[in-house]
Amino acid sequence: MPGDNMYKILIVEDDAALAKVIQEQVESMQYEAYCAEDFQNVLASFLKFQPHLVLLDIKLPFFNGYYWCSELRRISNVPIVFLSSASDNLNIVTAMQMGGDDFIAKPVDLEVMAAKIGAMLRRTYHLTQQIPVLEHRGAVLNLNDTSLTYHGEKIDLTKNEFKILETLMANQGKVVSRETLMTKLWQMDVYVEENTLTVNVNRLRKKLQQAGLQDFITTKVGSGYLVESEA
């Protein structure tokens, strides 16, 4: 059995037969695979599954792959590999401009796909460090066990605090709106009030300050919150 640190691949492909074939190939590589089923809300599948890489078809019902790529890029830098039967140069350029990392033409060559997935994961997460982490100012957020460490000391976080910090650290240098953060939390809870978000951010700030991380999270009045990018 693969270890707990296996990579997770989200497959967003509306051709059920092709999605199944891709899923079997991904699982044969000892990765965990999940096929999105609700093409009206791909973002929900992403937030629930928390993948390390997304295979994203361009032509989808309701909204195309470019739309979902831009939505994913608002909250994550996870690698996105486009799938499309229209493998002309214009589509390739558009896919890259929208935030895609690579492109696989249909009909999908499973060996080529496997090679590209492996290469992308190596470049992104490094095989010497299979546990994906986010780092800022010496603070290391482990995305597998939801722990935060700073100078060797572990900082205990609640589930909500972890989600907030994960989103902010994944978007260093970018203001994350309160709406985006509430959407993140809403995926775990029945309902999140604005006051709930404020309380969670304030508690998180206090924990970071007590650990020696002063001014780690900046408030942008009327916009949201920000983790400043390092100079």
Side-chain angles (χ1 to χ4, degrees), residues 52-99:
H52 301 94
L53 182 145
V54 178
L55 294 174
L56 180 61
D57 189 19
I58 289 179
K59 293 181 179 179
L60 293 168
F62 305 109
F63 304 98
N64 65 25
Y66 300 135
Y67 170 82
W68 288 118
C69 181
S70 65
E71 288 295 292
L72 291 174
R73 280 290 169 260
R74 291 171 55 193
I75 61 170
S76 174
N77 292 320
V78 67
I80 297 174
V81 179
F82 278 104
L83 304 171
S84 177
S85 54
S87 57
D88 57 270
N89 289 336
L90 178 60
N91 274 3
I92 294 173
V93 171
T94 302
M96 299 305 109
Q97 290 176 339
M98 293 300 292

Short mmCIF file of all heavy atoms in Angstrom, two decimals, residues 52-99:
data_model
loop_
_atom_site.label_atom_id
_atom_site.label_comp_id
_atom_site.label_asym_id
_atom_site.label_seq_id
_atom_site.Cartn_x
_atom_site.Cartn_y
_atom_site.Cartn_z
N HIS A 52 -2.70 17.64 -5.26
CA HIS A 52 -1.37 18.21 -5.51
C HIS A 52 -1.23 18.60 -6.99
O HIS A 52 -0.30 19.32 -7.35
CB HIS A 52 -0.29 17.19 -5.17
CG HIS A 52 -0.32 16.75 -3.74
ND1 HIS A 52 -0.99 15.62 -3.31
CD2 HIS A 52 0.19 17.31 -2.61
CE1 HIS A 52 -0.86 15.49 -2.01
NE2 HIS A 52 -0.16 16.50 -1.56
N LEU A 53 -2.13 18.10 -7.85
CA LEU A 53 -2.08 18.41 -9.28
C LEU A 53 -3.48 18.22 -9.85
O LEU A 53 -4.23 17.35 -9.41
CB LEU A 53 -1.08 17.50 -9.99
CG LEU A 53 -0.86 17.70 -11.50
CD1 LEU A 53 0.61 17.44 -11.87
CD2 LEU A 53 -1.75 16.77 -12.32
N VAL A 54 -3.83 19.06 -10.84
CA VAL A 54 -5.14 18.98 -11.48
C VAL A 54 -4.97 18.69 -12.97
O VAL A 54 -4.20 19.37 -13.65
CB VAL A 54 -5.93 20.30 -11.31
CG1 VAL A 54 -7.29 20.21 -12.02
CG2 VAL A 54 -6.13 20.62 -9.83
N LEU A 55 -5.68 17.67 -13.46
CA LEU A 55 -5.79 17.40 -14.89
C LEU A 55 -7.13 18.00 -15.32
O LEU A 55 -8.18 17.56 -14.87
CB LEU A 55 -5.75 15.90 -15.18
CG LEU A 55 -4.43 15.19 -14.87
CD1 LEU A 55 -4.59 13.68 -15.05
CD2 LEU A 55 -3.30 15.71 -15.76
N LEU A 56 -7.08 19.01 -16.19
CA LEU A 56 -8.27 19.83 -16.47
C LEU A 56 -8.60 19.86 -17.96
O LEU A 56 -7.82 20.39 -18.77
CB LEU A 56 -8.02 21.25 -15.95
CG LEU A 56 -9.11 22.29 -16.12
CD1 LEU A 56 -10.38 21.87 -15.38
CD2 LEU A 56 -8.63 23.65 -15.61
N ASP A 57 -9.75 19.30 -18.32
CA ASP A 57 -10.21 19.36 -19.70
C ASP A 57 -10.59 20.79 -20.06
O ASP A 57 -11.10 21.53 -19.21
CB ASP A 57 -11.42 18.42 -19.87
CG ASP A 57 -11.82 18.25 -21.34
OD1 ASP A 57 -10.98 18.53 -22.22
OD2 ASP A 57 -12.97 17.85 -21.59
N ILE A 58 -10.36 21.20 -21.30
CA ILE A 58 -10.72 22.56 -21.71
C ILE A 58 -12.21 22.66 -22.00
O ILE A 58 -12.89 23.58 -21.55
CB ILE A 58 -9.89 22.99 -22.94
CG1 ILE A 58 -8.43 23.24 -22.53
CG2 ILE A 58 -10.47 24.27 -23.55
CD1 ILE A 58 -7.53 23.66 -23.67
N LYS A 59 -12.75 21.69 -22.74
CA LYS A 59 -14.16 21.73 -23.11
C LYS A 59 -14.99 20.97 -22.08
O LYS A 59 -14.97 19.75 -22.03
CB LYS A 59 -14.37 21.15 -24.51
CG LYS A 59 -13.74 22.00 -25.60
CD LYS A 59 -13.98 21.41 -26.98
CE LYS A 59 -13.36 22.29 -28.08
NZ LYS A 59 -13.56 21.71 -29.43
N LEU A 60 -15.70 21.72 -21.24
CA LEU A 60 -16.51 21.16 -20.18
C LEU A 60 -17.92 21.75 -20.24
O LEU A 60 -18.11 22.85 -20.77
CB LEU A 60 -15.90 21.49 -18.81
CG LEU A 60 -14.55 20.86 -18.47
CD1 LEU A 60 -13.97 21.52 -17.23
CD2 LEU A 60 -14.70 19.35 -18.24
N PRO A 61 -18.91 21.06 -19.69
CA PRO A 61 -20.25 21.65 -19.62
C PRO A 61 -20.28 22.81 -18.62
O PRO A 61 -19.47 22.84 -17.69
CB PRO A 61 -21.12 20.48 -19.14
CG PRO A 61 -20.18 19.55 -18.47
CD PRO A 61 -18.87 19.69 -19.18
N PHE A 62 -21.17 23.74 -18.84
CA PHE A 62 -21.39 24.90 -17.97
C PHE A 62 -20.28 25.94 -18.11
O PHE A 62 -20.51 27.04 -18.59
CB PHE A 62 -21.56 24.48 -16.51
CG PHE A 62 -22.64 23.46 -16.29
CD1 PHE A 62 -22.32 22.15 -15.95
CD2 PHE A 62 -23.98 23.80 -16.45
CE1 PHE A 62 -23.32 21.20 -15.77
CE2 PHE A 62 -24.98 22.85 -16.26
CZ PHE A 62 -24.65 21.56 -15.92
N PHE A 63 -19.08 25.62 -17.66
CA PHE A 63 -17.95 26.55 -17.76
C PHE A 63 -16.75 25.78 -18.31
O PHE A 63 -16.54 24.62 -17.97
CB PHE A 63 -17.58 27.12 -16.39
CG PHE A 63 -18.72 27.80 -15.67
CD1 PHE A 63 -19.44 27.12 -14.71
CD2 PHE A 63 -19.06 29.11 -15.97
CE1 PHE A 63 -20.49 27.72 -14.04
CE2 PHE A 63 -20.11 29.73 -15.31
CZ PHE A 63 -20.84 29.04 -14.36
N ASN A 64 -15.94 26.44 -19.16
CA ASN A 64 -14.80 25.72 -19.74
C ASN A 64 -13.61 25.67 -18.79
O ASN A 64 -13.62 26.27 -17.71
CB ASN A 64 -14.40 26.34 -21.10
CG ASN A 64 -13.89 27.76 -20.98
OD1 ASN A 64 -13.39 28.18 -19.94
ND2 ASN A 64 -14.01 28.51 -22.07
N GLY A 65 -12.59 24.94 -19.22
CA GLY A 65 -11.42 24.75 -18.38
C GLY A 65 -10.66 26.03 -18.09
O GLY A 65 -10.06 26.17 -17.02
N TYR A 66 -10.69 26.98 -19.03
CA TYR A 66 -10.01 28.25 -18.79
C TYR A 66 -10.63 28.96 -17.59
O TYR A 66 -9.93 29.55 -16.75
CB TYR A 66 -10.11 29.16 -20.02
CG TYR A 66 -9.50 28.58 -21.27
CD1 TYR A 66 -10.16 28.65 -22.50
CD2 TYR A 66 -8.24 27.97 -21.25
CE1 TYR A 66 -9.61 28.13 -23.65
CE2 TYR A 66 -7.68 27.45 -22.39
CZ TYR A 66 -8.37 27.53 -23.59
OH TYR A 66 -7.81 27.01 -24.74
N TYR A 67 -11.97 28.92 -17.51
CA TYR A 67 -12.67 29.56 -16.40
C TYR A 67 -12.25 28.93 -15.08
O TYR A 67 -11.92 29.64 -14.10
CB TYR A 67 -14.18 29.44 -16.59
CG TYR A 67 -14.98 29.86 -15.37
CD1 TYR A 67 -15.26 31.21 -15.13
CD2 TYR A 67 -15.42 28.91 -14.45
CE1 TYR A 67 -15.97 31.60 -14.00
CE2 TYR A 67 -16.14 29.30 -13.32
CZ TYR A 67 -16.42 30.63 -13.10
OH TYR A 67 -17.12 31.02 -11.98
N TRP A 68 -12.26 27.59 -15.03
CA TRP A 68 -11.94 26.93 -13.78
C TRP A 68 -10.47 27.10 -13.41
O TRP A 68 -10.11 27.17 -12.23
CB TRP A 68 -12.31 25.45 -13.85
CG TRP A 68 -13.79 25.24 -13.81
CD1 TRP A 68 -14.59 24.67 -14.76
CD2 TRP A 68 -14.68 25.64 -12.76
NE1 TRP A 68 -15.90 24.69 -14.37
CE2 TRP A 68 -15.99 25.27 -13.15
CE3 TRP A 68 -14.50 26.27 -11.51
CZ2 TRP A 68 -17.11 25.52 -12.34
CZ3 TRP A 68 -15.61 26.51 -10.72
CH2 TRP A 68 -16.89 26.14 -11.13
N CYS A 69 -9.63 27.21 -14.41
CA CYS A 69 -8.21 27.47 -14.14
C CYS A 69 -8.04 28.82 -13.45
O CYS A 69 -7.33 28.95 -12.45
CB CYS A 69 -7.40 27.43 -15.44
SG CYS A 69 -5.63 27.72 -15.20
N SER A 70 -8.73 29.84 -13.96
CA SER A 70 -8.63 31.17 -13.36
C SER A 70 -9.20 31.18 -11.95
O SER A 70 -8.68 31.85 -11.06
CB SER A 70 -9.34 32.22 -14.23
OG SER A 70 -10.72 31.97 -14.29
N GLU A 71 -10.28 30.40 -11.73
CA GLU A 71 -10.86 30.31 -10.39
C GLU A 71 -9.90 29.62 -9.42
O GLU A 71 -9.74 30.05 -8.27
CB GLU A 71 -12.19 29.54 -10.44
CG GLU A 71 -13.33 30.31 -11.08
CD GLU A 71 -13.71 31.54 -10.28
OE1 GLU A 71 -14.24 31.39 -9.16
OE2 GLU A 71 -13.45 32.67 -10.76
N LEU A 72 -9.26 28.55 -9.88
CA LEU A 72 -8.31 27.83 -9.03
C LEU A 72 -7.10 28.70 -8.70
O LEU A 72 -6.58 28.66 -7.59
CB LEU A 72 -7.86 26.54 -9.71
CG LEU A 72 -8.92 25.44 -9.85
CD1 LEU A 72 -8.38 24.28 -10.68
CD2 LEU A 72 -9.36 24.95 -8.48
N ARG A 73 -6.67 29.49 -9.69
CA ARG A 73 -5.50 30.34 -9.48
C ARG A 73 -5.76 31.44 -8.45
O ARG A 73 -4.83 32.02 -7.91
CB ARG A 73 -5.04 30.96 -10.81
CG ARG A 73 -4.23 29.99 -11.66
CD ARG A 73 -2.86 29.74 -11.04
NE ARG A 73 -2.15 28.63 -11.67
CZ ARG A 73 -2.08 27.41 -11.18
NH1 ARG A 73 -2.68 27.13 -10.03
NH2 ARG A 73 -1.42 26.47 -11.79
N ARG A 74 -7.01 31.73 -8.16
CA ARG A 74 -7.33 32.73 -7.14
C ARG A 74 -6.99 32.22 -5.74
O ARG A 74 -6.77 33.01 -4.82
CB ARG A 74 -8.82 33.09 -7.19
CG ARG A 74 -9.23 33.88 -8.42
CD ARG A 74 -10.75 34.01 -8.52
NE ARG A 74 -11.31 34.59 -7.30
CZ ARG A 74 -12.58 34.60 -7.00
NH1 ARG A 74 -13.45 34.02 -7.81
NH2 ARG A 74 -13.02 35.16 -5.89
N ILE A 75 -6.97 30.90 -5.57
CA ILE A 75 -6.78 30.34 -4.23
C ILE A 75 -5.60 29.37 -4.12
O ILE A 75 -5.26 28.95 -3.02
CB ILE A 75 -8.05 29.61 -3.75
CG1 ILE A 75 -8.40 28.45 -4.70
CG2 ILE A 75 -9.23 30.56 -3.63
CD1 ILE A 75 -9.49 27.54 -4.18
N SER A 76 -4.98 29.01 -5.25
CA SER A 76 -3.94 27.98 -5.18
C SER A 76 -2.94 28.09 -6.32
O SER A 76 -3.28 28.54 -7.41
CB SER A 76 -4.60 26.59 -5.20
OG SER A 76 -3.62 25.57 -5.26
N ASN A 77 -1.72 27.66 -6.04
CA ASN A 77 -0.68 27.59 -7.07
C ASN A 77 -0.42 26.15 -7.49
O ASN A 77 0.60 25.84 -8.10
CB ASN A 77 0.63 28.20 -6.54
CG ASN A 77 0.51 29.69 -6.34
OD1 ASN A 77 -0.10 30.39 -7.15
ND2 ASN A 77 1.07 30.20 -5.26
N VAL A 78 -1.35 25.24 -7.17
CA VAL A 78 -1.18 23.83 -7.51
C VAL A 78 -1.01 23.67 -9.02
O VAL A 78 -1.62 24.41 -9.80
CB VAL A 78 -2.41 23.02 -7.03
CG1 VAL A 78 -3.66 23.39 -7.79
CG2 VAL A 78 -2.16 21.53 -7.12
N PRO A 79 -0.14 22.76 -9.48
CA PRO A 79 0.06 22.58 -10.93
C PRO A 79 -1.24 22.18 -11.64
O PRO A 79 -2.00 21.35 -11.13
CB PRO A 79 1.08 21.44 -11.00
CG PRO A 79 1.77 21.45 -9.68
CD PRO A 79 0.75 21.89 -8.69
N ILE A 80 -1.48 22.79 -12.80
CA ILE A 80 -2.66 22.49 -13.61
C ILE A 80 -2.20 22.07 -14.99
O ILE A 80 -1.47 22.81 -15.67
CB ILE A 80 -3.59 23.71 -13.72
CG1 ILE A 80 -4.14 24.09 -12.34
CG2 ILE A 80 -4.75 23.43 -14.69
CD1 ILE A 80 -4.96 25.37 -12.33
N VAL A 81 -2.60 20.85 -15.40
CA VAL A 81 -2.25 20.32 -16.72
C VAL A 81 -3.54 20.23 -17.54
O VAL A 81 -4.48 19.53 -17.16
CB VAL A 81 -1.58 18.95 -16.62
CG1 VAL A 81 -1.26 18.41 -18.02
CG2 VAL A 81 -0.31 19.03 -15.78
N PHE A 82 -3.60 20.95 -18.65
CA PHE A 82 -4.79 20.96 -19.49
C PHE A 82 -4.87 19.73 -20.38
O PHE A 82 -3.84 19.22 -20.86
CB PHE A 82 -4.81 22.21 -20.37
CG PHE A 82 -5.34 23.44 -19.68
CD1 PHE A 82 -4.48 24.44 -19.24
CD2 PHE A 82 -6.70 23.62 -19.49
CE1 PHE A 82 -4.96 25.58 -18.62
CE2 PHE A 82 -7.20 24.75 -18.87
CZ PHE A 82 -6.33 25.74 -18.44
N LEU A 83 -6.11 19.28 -20.65
CA LEU A 83 -6.39 18.21 -21.61
C LEU A 83 -7.29 18.79 -22.69
O LEU A 83 -8.27 19.46 -22.39
CB LEU A 83 -7.12 17.05 -20.93
CG LEU A 83 -6.46 16.40 -19.71
CD1 LEU A 83 -7.44 15.42 -19.06
CD2 LEU A 83 -5.19 15.68 -20.12
N SER A 84 -6.97 18.56 -23.96
CA SER A 84 -7.83 19.06 -25.03
C SER A 84 -7.57 18.34 -26.33
O SER A 84 -6.45 18.02 -26.68
CB SER A 84 -7.62 20.55 -25.24
OG SER A 84 -8.41 21.01 -26.32
N SER A 85 -8.67 18.11 -27.07
CA SER A 85 -8.54 17.50 -28.40
C SER A 85 -8.13 18.55 -29.43
O SER A 85 -7.65 18.24 -30.49
CB SER A 85 -9.88 16.87 -28.81
OG SER A 85 -10.91 17.83 -28.73
N ALA A 86 -8.35 19.81 -29.09
CA ALA A 86 -7.98 20.90 -30.00
C ALA A 86 -6.57 21.36 -29.64
O ALA A 86 -6.36 22.36 -28.98
CB ALA A 86 -8.97 22.06 -29.87
N SER A 87 -5.60 20.60 -30.10
CA SER A 87 -4.21 20.84 -29.68
C SER A 87 -3.49 21.81 -30.60
O SER A 87 -2.32 21.63 -30.93
CB SER A 87 -3.45 19.51 -29.62
OG SER A 87 -3.51 18.86 -30.89
N ASP A 88 -4.20 22.85 -31.03
CA ASP A 88 -3.54 23.85 -31.87
C ASP A 88 -2.77 24.84 -31.01
O ASP A 88 -2.96 24.93 -29.80
CB ASP A 88 -4.58 24.61 -32.71
CG ASP A 88 -5.64 25.27 -31.84
OD1 ASP A 88 -6.66 24.60 -31.57
OD2 ASP A 88 -5.44 26.41 -31.42
N ASN A 89 -1.91 25.61 -31.64
CA ASN A 89 -1.03 26.52 -30.90
C ASN A 89 -1.81 27.56 -30.11
O ASN A 89 -1.41 27.95 -29.02
CB ASN A 89 -0.07 27.21 -31.86
CG ASN A 89 0.99 26.26 -32.40
OD1 ASN A 89 1.29 25.25 -31.76
ND2 ASN A 89 1.54 26.55 -33.55
N LEU A 90 -2.94 28.04 -30.65
CA LEU A 90 -3.71 29.06 -29.96
C LEU A 90 -4.21 28.54 -28.62
O LEU A 90 -4.12 29.23 -27.60
CB LEU A 90 -4.90 29.51 -30.81
CG LEU A 90 -5.83 30.56 -30.18
CD1 LEU A 90 -5.04 31.83 -29.86
CD2 LEU A 90 -6.99 30.89 -31.10
N ASN A 91 -4.73 27.32 -28.60
CA ASN A 91 -5.22 26.75 -27.34
C ASN A 91 -4.09 26.55 -26.34
O ASN A 91 -4.26 26.74 -25.14
CB ASN A 91 -5.92 25.41 -27.59
CG ASN A 91 -7.38 25.60 -27.95
OD1 ASN A 91 -7.86 26.72 -28.07
ND2 ASN A 91 -8.09 24.50 -28.14
N ILE A 92 -2.94 26.13 -26.83
CA ILE A 92 -1.79 25.91 -25.95
C ILE A 92 -1.37 27.24 -25.32
O ILE A 92 -1.15 27.33 -24.11
CB ILE A 92 -0.61 25.28 -26.72
CG1 ILE A 92 -1.00 23.87 -27.18
CG2 ILE A 92 0.64 25.25 -25.85
CD1 ILE A 92 0.03 23.23 -28.10
N VAL A 93 -1.27 28.28 -26.13
CA VAL A 93 -0.88 29.60 -25.63
C VAL A 93 -1.91 30.10 -24.62
O VAL A 93 -1.57 30.60 -23.54
CB VAL A 93 -0.72 30.60 -26.79
CG1 VAL A 93 -0.54 32.02 -26.25
CG2 VAL A 93 0.47 30.22 -27.66
N THR A 94 -3.19 29.98 -24.96
CA THR A 94 -4.25 30.43 -24.07
C THR A 94 -4.20 29.70 -22.74
O THR A 94 -4.33 30.30 -21.67
CB THR A 94 -5.65 30.22 -24.71
OG1 THR A 94 -5.70 30.92 -25.95
CG2 THR A 94 -6.75 30.74 -23.81
N ALA A 95 -4.00 28.38 -22.79
CA ALA A 95 -3.93 27.57 -21.57
C ALA A 95 -2.80 28.05 -20.66
O ALA A 95 -2.97 28.17 -19.45
CB ALA A 95 -3.73 26.10 -21.94
N MET A 96 -1.65 28.34 -21.24
CA MET A 96 -0.53 28.81 -20.44
C MET A 96 -0.78 30.21 -19.89
O MET A 96 -0.45 30.51 -18.74
CB MET A 96 0.76 28.81 -21.28
CG MET A 96 1.18 27.44 -21.81
SD MET A 96 1.36 26.17 -20.52
CE MET A 96 -0.05 25.14 -20.86
N GLN A 97 -1.39 31.07 -20.69
CA GLN A 97 -1.68 32.43 -20.25
C GLN A 97 -2.70 32.45 -19.12
O GLN A 97 -2.68 33.34 -18.28
CB GLN A 97 -2.18 33.28 -21.42
CG GLN A 97 -1.11 33.61 -22.45
CD GLN A 97 -1.66 34.37 -23.64
OE1 GLN A 97 -2.85 34.34 -23.93
NE2 GLN A 97 -0.79 35.08 -24.34
N MET A 98 -3.59 31.47 -19.10
CA MET A 98 -4.62 31.42 -18.06
C MET A 98 -4.10 30.83 -16.75
O MET A 98 -4.82 30.75 -15.77
CB MET A 98 -5.81 30.59 -18.55
CG MET A 98 -6.58 31.21 -19.70
SD MET A 98 -7.28 32.82 -19.29
CE MET A 98 -8.52 32.34 -18.09
N GLY A 99 -2.84 30.40 -16.75
CA GLY A 99 -2.25 29.88 -15.51
C GLY A 99 -1.96 28.40 -15.54
O GLY A 99 -1.58 27.82 -14.52
#
